[in-house]
Amino acid sequence: MANPKLFRTIDKAVSDYQMIKEGDRILIGASGGKDSTALAEYFAARLKRRDAQFTVSAMHIATDIGSPFNQNLAELFERWGIPLIIKTVSVLGRLKERHRMNCWWCSSQRRTELNNFALKNGFNKIALGHHLDDILETLLMNALGKGILSTMPPVLQFEKYPITMIRPLCLADIPMIVRHAQMQNYFSSTCTCNYQSNSTRKEARSRLDALTGGSYELKLKLFTSLKNIRPQYLP
């Protein structure tokens, strides 16, 4: 298969932000959804290039409230040559007293498990399936909810331990990923837990759609504006 548009878009992000370097050991956070699945397929294809000098594995953190990892999808990872580790944790059991279960808590617990596994097993980078829409939605959530101008960076080097977080899908929006997933006929799953109504991300997604009209070009401009800051014209 010729290099598809999604892979070309990821290539640009990887190049722009120098996400992959020689000797990297990369751990993909595999949620079971189309985003991280596309990421695994991309890495599998990239590993076939002559200049590939890195290794990739994937890890799925199963929880007591989420859907199980699709067996057909696990077989797809195996066919791609991406080793897959599955670990189950209880996010409800870790919930602090008098706190409500929500998407943020579940996500933070799964991220902690990824970080711990990466540290113990010599991975220096964790690749997450956050895409352009996720980044812009987080920008709106932080600005409108907290009064803070911040979001998910494409590359984040942790200060306390030697792990770098990378988001190779940072220039790809949902429609681009959906088109690719449909073309490849992915076996993917989405979260079906009963706590998603507590998430503010759906509201942020509606606001982003209202702001950009779903235009990929406008989303890219909003993303690019975060790198073209004029401090002298800000409060």
Side-chain angles (χ1 to χ4, degrees):
M1 180 180 65
N3 199 23
K5 181 177 181 180
L6 177 62
F7 287 8
R8 297 195 302 271
T9 301
I10 299 175
D11 277 338
K12 177 172 172 52
V14 168
S15 176
D16 286 354
Y17 293 96
Q18 299 182 339
M19 292 184 184
I20 301 176
K21 296 182 179 180
E22 182 178 345
D24 278 345
R25 295 195 67 218
I26 303 172
L27 180 66
I28 302 172
S31 68
K34 62 187 181 304
D35 309 323
S36 58
T37 300
L39 198 53
E41 184 196 11
Y42 168 80
F43 276 118
R46 188 169 180 123
L47 283 170
K48 295 179 181 178
R49 300 180 189 178
R50 292 182 180 179
D51 61 345
Q53 295 179 314
F54 61 96
T55 62
V56 179
S57 295
M59 186 174 193
H60 174 71
I61 306 299
T63 71
D64 46 351
I65 62 174
S67 306
F69 199 81
N70 190 300
Q71 181 57 37
N72 291 323
L73 184 57
E75 292 173 1
L76 194 57
F77 274 59
E78 183 177 3
R79 190 192 317 161
W80 287 337
I82 303 293
L84 175 67
I85 304 100
I86 298 178
K87 180 178 180 179
T88 301
V89 300
S90 173
V91 295
L92 287 175
R94 297 179 179 184
L95 190 64
K96 297 178 181 178
E97 188 177 354
R98 292 189 296 274
H99 283 68
R100 293 179 65 192
M101 184 64 203
N102 54 45
C103 291
W104 177 86
W105 175 255
C106 181
S107 176
S108 67
Q109 296 310 299
R110 288 184 284 116
R111 193 81 48 82
T112 295
E113 293 298 330
L114 282 174
N115 292 344
N116 290 341
F117 183 87
L119 284 170
K120 291 178 181 178
N121 293 276
F123 292 94
N124 66 310
K125 289 182 178 175
I126 296 176
L128 299 178
H130 295 137
H131 45 65
L132 178 61
D133 293 72
D134 285 327
I135 292 171
L136 297 180
E137 289 159 13
T138 301
L139 173 69
L140 295 178
M141 289 165 65
N142 288 339
L144 300 178
K146 301 177 182 178
I148 299 173
L149 192 62
S150 68
T151 188
M152 304 171 174
V155 176
L156 176 62
Q157 171 66 62
F158 289 108
E159 297 180 357
K160 296 182 179 180
Y161 41 90
I163 297 290
T164 299
M165 197 82 73
I166 60 174
R167 295 180 169 95
L169 291 171
C170 64
L171 300 180
D173 69 347
I174 292 175
M176 185 186 300
I177 299 169
V178 168
R179 287 193 296 269
H180 182 86
Q182 290 174 340
M183 179 179 65
Q184 295 299 97
N185 193 28
Y186 281 157
F187 300 100
S188 64
S189 59
T190 57
C191 181
T192 57
C193 80
N194 297 321
Y195 300 95
Q196 297 184 72
S197 59
N198 294 333
S199 174
T200 58
R201 186 162 294 277
K202 289 183 179 180
E203 184 177 354
R205 182 155 297 177
S206 296
R207 286 173 170 166
L208 179 62
D209 287 341
L211 186 62
T212 65
S215 166
Y216 177 64
E217 289 73 19
L218 290 181
K219 292 176 186 177
L220 273 184
K221 284 186 178 180
L222 183 56
F223 177 84
T224 302
S225 71
L226 297 174
K227 301 184 291 182
N228 294 323
I229 299 173
R230 308 281 179 88
Q232 65 271 31
Y233 294 106
L234 293 173

